[in-house]
Amino acid sequence: LQLVESGGGLVQPGGSLTLSCAASELNYDAIGWFRQVPGKERKGISCVSSSTGFRDYADPVKGRFTISVDVAKKTVYLQMNTLKPEDTGVYYCAPCLSILLIPPPDFTSWGQGTQVTVSS
């Protein structure tokens, strides 16, 4: 499984960004986005089930972020609105364990991620 994230950048607080993740295959039912900041563990931000469309979000991003998946294009998106400085970090896409905001324990094929910086 290869994952290539894109779409990050520098944005002012209150701004918007859309992240994209191109997957070589969608061999997991659920896929999502994770964020890492220096010195801290990666945390789950949002996951979506390709089969049911069910979505889950971490509490800090509920109402501001929207995840979607285009199965035909094998691409996952994260629309991020009303961005805050605390949204800053490197964003990675990865499979989700069921719909939980954690990756499968055997998953190791992390991509390079895409940097999101929210700052004035």
Side-chain angles (χ1 to χ4, degrees), residues 34-56:
F34 299 79
R35 179 176 67 215
Q36 187 168 30
V37 297
K40 295 190 177 181
E41 292 185 354
R42 245 181 303 242
K43 289 189 174 182
I45 298 300
S46 182
C47 292
V48 59
S49 167
S50 300
S51 60
T52 68
F54 181 82
R55 297 168 171 82
D56 196 17

Side-chain angles (χ1 to χ4, degrees), residues 29-115:
D29 177 67
I31 190 165
W33 289 90
F34 299 79
R35 179 176 67 215
Q36 187 168 30
V37 297
K40 295 190 177 181
E41 292 185 354
R42 245 181 303 242
K43 289 189 174 182
I45 298 300
S46 182
C47 292
V48 59
S49 167
S50 300
S51 60
T52 68
F54 181 82
R55 297 168 171 82
D56 196 17
Y57 299 92
D59 286 343
V61 308
K62 284 181 179 177
R64 300 188 296 121
F65 290 11
T66 303
I67 190 171
S68 61
V69 57
D70 186 326
V71 176
K73 295 182 177 179
K74 292 184 256 183
T75 301
V76 186
Y77 304 95
L78 187 67
Q79 173 68 43
M80 305 187 295
N81 297 326
T82 319
L83 282 161
K84 304 176 180 180
E86 52 263 42
D87 296 320
T88 295
V90 180
Y91 284 70
Y92 301 87
C93 69
C96 300
L97 182 63
S98 184
I99 199 61
L100 301 176
L101 297 177
I102 56 175
D106 59 345
F107 179 74
T108 57
S109 302
W110 295 93
Q112 294 298 307
T114 185
Q115 175 72 47

